[in-house]
Amino acid sequence: MIQDNITNVLQKIEAACKRSNRSKEEVTLIAVSKTKPFEMLMEAYHAGLREFGENKVQELCDKCEKFVPESSSAPISITQLDNSSYDSNLSPEINWHMIGHLQRNKVKYIVDKVKLIHSVDSFRLAEQIDIEAKKKGVLVDILVEINIADEESKFGVKPSAVETLIREIASLSSICVKGLMTVAPFTENAEENRTYFNKMHQLYVDINEKNIDNVSMKILSMGMTGDYEVAIEEGSTMVRVGTGIFGERNYSE
Ligand SMILES: *Cc1c(COP(=O)(O)O)cnc(C)c1O
């Protein structure tokens, strides 16, 4: 079932790329395994996925600790985070993505485990990541989270504050700003989010053109189960899909 869901999502990603004259290699699928048991995550792993997103520090650490790389599983080919470094050889390792709100006191638990932190939305948080990265001797790639629809319930910075924040973060030597992330409004009709995705892409292009030292706009993380096809049509390079791969989440348990 998970394998079928993945095939289905990948086909839709490919079709959305075709419609917008993009190559499917430009888009990385992140499997959002939050709340789901480790066994389901491993099913997706065996189907060939290597990029996994979690939104809670404890859960990310638990799953990361449980995971043992297997060298012999590559049944289908998948677009990967960095097109150049994988090619047809699928690495046995998992790349973990922190996609949820991150508290400063928990940064230390994940800073050397994650490939990318998608949810940086304050200088104070960035500073803490920089401090912990230096302690562990690592460089940390991050995205700046944008509250693109200015929703009260959402984390992220306002579009008008992004450039200033990025310029501040650029001074931190153990952090690399790789792009932008957003969680678009919840909607039954993905088309309603098209203008938000388009605004995100514009912001991404604008900031890239400023040529800020230590900042490269390479990743635009937007699009979830309900709207990833529209997000891709508007320039997303990373889609975060949970329900579409693992089924509905049950938070009542
Ligand atoms: C849960 C979550 C997702 C995945 O949501 P689905 O609608 O299940 O695909 C993506 N991004 C973030 C930040 C999330 O918290």
Side-chain angles (χ1 to χ4, degrees), residues 147-207:
N147 185 352
I148 195 66
D150 205 7
E151 292 174 280
E152 246 175 65
S153 60
K154 290 267 167 74
F155 293 105
V157 295
K158 284 184 184 196
S160 59
V162 178
E163 187 184 340
T164 306
L165 176 61
I166 287 183
R167 285 188 188 278
E168 284 174 344
I169 297 176
S171 69
L172 302 170
S173 60
S174 294
I175 292 188
C176 293
V177 179
K178 293 286 184 190
L180 306 178
M181 177 272 218
T182 199
V183 179
F186 176 78
T187 170
E188 297 289 338
N189 175 10
E191 282 300 327
E192 287 173 8
N193 282 338
R194 188 179 291 279
T195 54
Y196 295 125
F197 293 138
N198 185 273
K199 275 190 192 164
M200 280 294 295
H201 185 255
Q202 197 54 54
L203 203 54
Y204 173 81
V205 170
D206 287 347
I207 289 170

Side-chain angles (χ1 to χ4, degrees), residues 32 34 55 99 181 183 224-226 240-244 249:
V32 178
K34 66 186 186 194
N55 71 336
I99 62 171
M181 177 272 218
V183 179
M224 302 169 34
T225 297
R240 309 176 308 265
V241 179
T243 311
R249 286 177 294 275

